[in-house]
């Protein structure tokens, strides 16, 4: 380990921290993050010593008593799903997971069969790592990650963005210049966020290389070898070995690394060279038994050859009995120098042996692909099955294997139908793994292909496949932000006079696409949607009828036609509720539409029920693209009904999927929804809501569609709550234009409240009055309680600005009552807390106290840090003595926190992060009773009486926010509470 003392010191510190976390003894300045995983990114060129360093880290972790799992990605197996994780987990004792409840969810990592949701697999893997970290920590070491398969990289991406809440160290090695852009970008973002530590390995110094060479080599010769190797230890040692063996001519410059390594092979007997070539080609399947079979060597002769190659350090024994070459560079050179037909034959024999042993199609697929040189129905059948089995968990591998099958499928009439089906499947797989543009190109090509099979006339099967391609293409266009193109494509297909069943499919997609198109409103496609409904009814298609009704309900609700939307939603719900889950498999997206329609109609229990059912069906049937919409519908409902922790968790899950799909528009919508949940969740002064909202509008780009409008509206809310009313106003005008026409009509009164508040805070009284009047008119037209409540709050700010506190208090109280009518608990609490201090100023102290108490209770029960902060800022005179805490100034705040022990402060921070007592106990490896004892002492010392109030206190400690100091000024400033520290 010459020249690596600095790197080893940093790695030792991370291992010590992990073992300290595991034992509950960690004490460093980063205690807020104690118990969370860290990733070490070890980078450098080939041969620089990354794997050697990783091996040393594994040894040191072993000595500390940590669980150590090590896997290696391999160059020629890049389409084998989860290969590097599977290799690492192969080290586990078979009985380790006997009582692990989520074994089925991680089956692909364990080389077991099972159709699972790939994003569920990511979450379950984090649970698995946390389990393996007990009781003394876990080191997961992943070597040569630049060669990892796409499914492994996606899983690693999840683990970087969602650090495991356990003493886990992930150590990865990779070559900078060969790393995929997505991997490098993710690790760099993790570096910025503090979840990744990067160690870039540099060449050894001349002194280090001299020490490596030993005293027997003259300094001049050592210097020449050092100059030739440029300090690369692998190259230096190879040169040194060749020099000592007398294979390098003294009169010329040292030969290249490849030449030196291949020279080692020239002295081998043919049988031994054949074994080396077989090991290079077989990779992860290079067991002694497999190598023996493909080389035809067996018994004593085979054993003698292997031992001889091991003594020469060409072969090494790896875990699980595998044979490997001593370095990946050696494998690359041997593999590339092995004659092509020899490689093909080795792969063919390996595929045969795996099939004979009953290996899955996914395990066979790599060798089948490499041995396929011509059309082979049996081989293509294996690739087809492998693609089908990995479509849900590893769509990139699925798309690759379908591509291989298509390249070997003859371009003849008898194979035309199968080719079209495989192309459609490949387009679907590409759409699921971020290849949206390639998917669209394939679909356009498929749609343009003449609809004939075997030279005969067009069949119903051809027509059905074409319509499926058109619908999928429209969906992909939507995800690419090309809704206008999607609408045009669907209308063109409808104009071709399709069968009634296809009219239903096309009408469903058209009704879904239109509201998202800046150039097409739902009213412009209402005729086509009604035709689809008629077609479904004429053929007795109850499933199709339910779907069209759901899409129509959302279209009308979006446009603000609430009477029509109510009727359509009731009809859709009645049909959906009468159908079994199997019939609803094709209706997952319409179920999302129904859920959103009911959410906009403020039928929150119905919206939640239908979205949860759709989510369950979508996950079981692998319909990934619709899952984010269902998750966000649930998240929206739970924000309105003040179940904030759940809302945030759902938005997080949707973000994972949106990033995997690769749609900027979908990501913008997801991040906007997450920002909305964060505004409600975070205490005053927390920068996260605005940061996520900024990322949402960045993802939306310069578009003016529904996705972008929604992102800008939420950005405006986040900016207002961050105390920047000017930026909030600009965002709302960006969202909707000067007349706000681009803002969703059925949500416009709520968004107008942001403009009213921003205008008043910035001294634009007449503008505020105009926006408030518009909010009143539109809310009355919509006739929904929560929107009327919003308009009432907007109206309340106007008399408040003129000093009429009684009138303002009445309007806030009326807003609270309207919100309560539909179960919008978040807005009820918000209205109560804004009005409570005004009640007192109007001479109604008792009413103010009751309003404040109820608002605070709702805020705390719902887990809303924003509302608890508002409660602390607006506690009326004579408020309940059991209030969480008043509004301590900085000196008092410092004094309270100074009384906490280090452990109490650590637990207070974990409480502020939203962890339950049991979760904190699991993380710190103490009992739940111990945690609750510390929490009680913390409450007593700080003068708070709830976890949410404690979270707000800790947030003020971190940010220095003076939100609470505004309490005495609040009545005069009116809307200032909305903007934080104005």
């Amino acid at each position: 380990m010459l020249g690596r003392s600095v790197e080893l010191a940093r790695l030792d510190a991370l291992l010590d921290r992990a073992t300290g976390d595991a034992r509950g003894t960690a004490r460093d300045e980063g205690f807020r993050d104690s118990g969370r995983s860290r990733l070490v990114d070890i980078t450098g060129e080939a041969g620089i010593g990354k794997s050697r360093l990783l091996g040393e880290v594994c040894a040191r972790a072993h000595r500390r008593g940590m669980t150590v799992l090590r896997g290696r990605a391999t160059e020629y197996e890049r389409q084998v799903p989860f290969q590097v994780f599977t290799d690492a987990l192969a080290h586990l004792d078979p009985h380790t997971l006997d009582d692990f409840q989520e074994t089925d969810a991680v089956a692909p990592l364990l080389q077991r069969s099972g159709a699972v949701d790939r994003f569920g697999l990511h979450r379950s893997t984090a649970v698995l790592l946390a389990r393996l970290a007990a009781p003394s920590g876990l080191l997961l070491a992943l070597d040569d990650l630049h060669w990892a398969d796409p499914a492994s990289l996606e899983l690693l991406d999840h683990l970087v963005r969602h650090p495991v809440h356990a003493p886990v160290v992930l150590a990865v090695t990779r070559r900078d210049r060969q790393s995929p852009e997505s991997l490098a970008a993710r690790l760099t973002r993790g570096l910025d966020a503090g979840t990744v530590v990067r160690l870039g390995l540099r060449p050894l110094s001349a002194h280090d290389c001299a020490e490596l060479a030993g005293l027997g080599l003259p300094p001049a010769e050592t210097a020449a070898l050092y100059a030739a190797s440029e300090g690369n230890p692998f190259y230096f040692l190879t040169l040194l070995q060749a020099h000592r063996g007398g294979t390098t001519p003294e009169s010329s410059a040292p030969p290249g690394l490849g030449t030196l390594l291949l020279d080692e092979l020239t002295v081998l007997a043919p049988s031994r060279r054949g074994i080396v070539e077989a090991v290079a080609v077989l990779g992860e399947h290079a067991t002694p038994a497999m190598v023996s079979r493909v080389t035809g060597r067996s018994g004593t002769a085979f054993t003698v050859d292997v031992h001889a190659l091991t003594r020469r350090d060409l072969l090494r024994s790896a875990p699980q009995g595998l044979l490997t070459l001593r370095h990946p560079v050696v494998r690359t050179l041997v593999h590339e120098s092995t004659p092509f037909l020899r490689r093909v034959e080795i792969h063919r024999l390996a595929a045969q042996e795996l099939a004979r042993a009953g290996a899955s199609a996914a395990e066979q697929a790599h060798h089948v692909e490499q041995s396929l040189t011509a059309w082979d129905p049996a081989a293509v059948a294996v690739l087809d099955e492998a693609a089908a089995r990995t479509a849900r968990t590893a769509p990139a591998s699925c798309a690759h294997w379908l591509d291989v099958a298509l390249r070997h499928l003859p371009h003849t009439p008898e194979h035309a139908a199968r080719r079209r089906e495989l192309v459609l499947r490949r387009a679907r797989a590409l759409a699921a793994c971020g290849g949206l543009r390639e998917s669209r190109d394939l679909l356009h090509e498929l749609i343009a292909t003449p609809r004939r099979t075997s030279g005969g006339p067009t069949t119903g099967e051809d027509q059905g496949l074409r319509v499926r391609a058109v619908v999928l293409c429209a969906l992909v266009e939507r995800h690419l932000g090309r809704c206008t193109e999607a609408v045009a494509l669907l209308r063109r297909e409808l104009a071709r006079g399709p069968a009634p069943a296809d009219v239903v499919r096309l009408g469903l997609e058209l009704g879904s696409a239109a509201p998202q198109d800046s150039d097409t409103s739902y009213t412009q496609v209402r005729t086509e949607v009604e035709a689809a409904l008629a077609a479904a009814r004429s053929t007795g298609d109850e499933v199709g009828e339910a779907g069209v009704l759901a899409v129509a309900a959302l279209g009308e609700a979006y446009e603000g036609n609430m009477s029509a939307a109510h009727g359509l939603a009731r009809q859709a719900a009645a049909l959906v509720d009468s159908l079994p889950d199997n019939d609803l498999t094709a209706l997952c997206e319409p179920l999302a539409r129904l859920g959103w329609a009911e959410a906009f109609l403020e039928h929150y229990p119905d919206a939640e029920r239908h979205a949860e059912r759709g989510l369950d069906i979508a996950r079981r049937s692998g319909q990934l693209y619709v899952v984010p919409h269902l998750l966000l519908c649930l998240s929206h409902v739970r924000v309105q009904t003040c179940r904030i922790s759940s809302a945030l968790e759902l938005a997080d899950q949707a973000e994972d999927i949106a990033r995997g799909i690769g749609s900027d528009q979908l990501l913008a919508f997801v991040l906007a929804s997450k920002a909305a949940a964060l505004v409600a969740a975070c205490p005053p002064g927390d920068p996260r809501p605005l940061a996520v909202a900024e990322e949402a509008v960045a993802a939306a780009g310069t578009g003016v569609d529904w996705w972008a409008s929604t992102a800008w509206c939420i950005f405006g809310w986040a900016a207002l709550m961050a105390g920047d009313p000017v930026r909030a106003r600009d965002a709302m005008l960006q969202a909707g234009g000067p007349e706000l026409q681009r803002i969703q009509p059925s949500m416009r009164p709520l968004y107008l409240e942001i403009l009213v508040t921003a205008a008043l805070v910035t001294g634009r009284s007449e503008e505020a009055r105009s926006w408030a009047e518009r909010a009143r008119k539109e809310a009355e037209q919509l006739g929904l309680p929560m929107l009327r409540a919003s308009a009432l709050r907007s109206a309340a700010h106007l008399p408040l600005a003129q000093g009429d506190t009684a009138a303002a208090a009445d309007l806030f109280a009326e807003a609270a009552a309207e919100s309560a009518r539909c179960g919008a608990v978040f807005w009820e609490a918000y209205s109560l807390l804004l009005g409570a201090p005004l009640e007192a100023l109007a001479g109604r102290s008792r009413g103010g106290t009751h309003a404040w108490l109820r608002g605070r209770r709702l805020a705390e029960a719902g887990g809303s840090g924003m509302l608890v902060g508002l409660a602390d800022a607006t506690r009326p005179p004579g408020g309940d003595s059991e209030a969480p805490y008043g509004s301590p100034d900085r000196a008092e705040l410092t004094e309270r926190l100074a009384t906490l022990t280090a452990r109490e402060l650590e637990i207070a921070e974990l409480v502020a992060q939203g962890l339950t007592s049991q979760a904190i106990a699991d993380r710190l490896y103490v009992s739940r009773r111990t945690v609750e004892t510390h929490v009680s002492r913390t409450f007593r010392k700080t003068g708070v009486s709830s976890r949410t109030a404690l979270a707000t206190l800790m947030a003020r400690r971190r940010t220095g926010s003076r939100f609470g100091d505004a309490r005495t000024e609040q009545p005069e400033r009116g809307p200032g509470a909305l903007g934080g520290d104005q």
Side-chain angles (χ1 to χ4, degrees), residues 62 65 68 104 228 237 375 395 577 591 633 681 802 947 971:
H62 267 303
V68 177
D104 289 343
L237 288 171
W375 167 239
D577 293 342
L591 275 171
C633 178
Q802 297 175 349
R947 286 170 171 262

Side-chain angles (χ1 to χ4, degrees), residues 516-528:
Q516 299 170 21
D517 181 14
S518 58
D519 298 326
T520 309
S521 67
Y522 176 77
T523 56
Q524 292 173 278
V525 300
R526 185 183 285 130
T527 300
E528 288 97 328

Side-chain angles (χ1 to χ4, degrees), residues 668-692:
F669 182 41
V670 168
L671 291 174
S673 298
K674 181 177 179 178
L678 280 168
V679 169
C682 291
D686 195 308
R688 287 178 295 167
L690 189 58
V692 174

Side-chain angles (χ1 to χ4, degrees), residues 392 398 520 550 595 708 897:
R392 291 179 59 183
C398 169
T520 309
L897 293 174

Side-chain angles (χ1 to χ4, degrees), residues 963-976:
F963 187 95
D965 299 342
R967 182 187 66 212
T968 56
E969 303 175 25
Q970 191 68 31
E972 288 73 25
R973 290 162 54 193

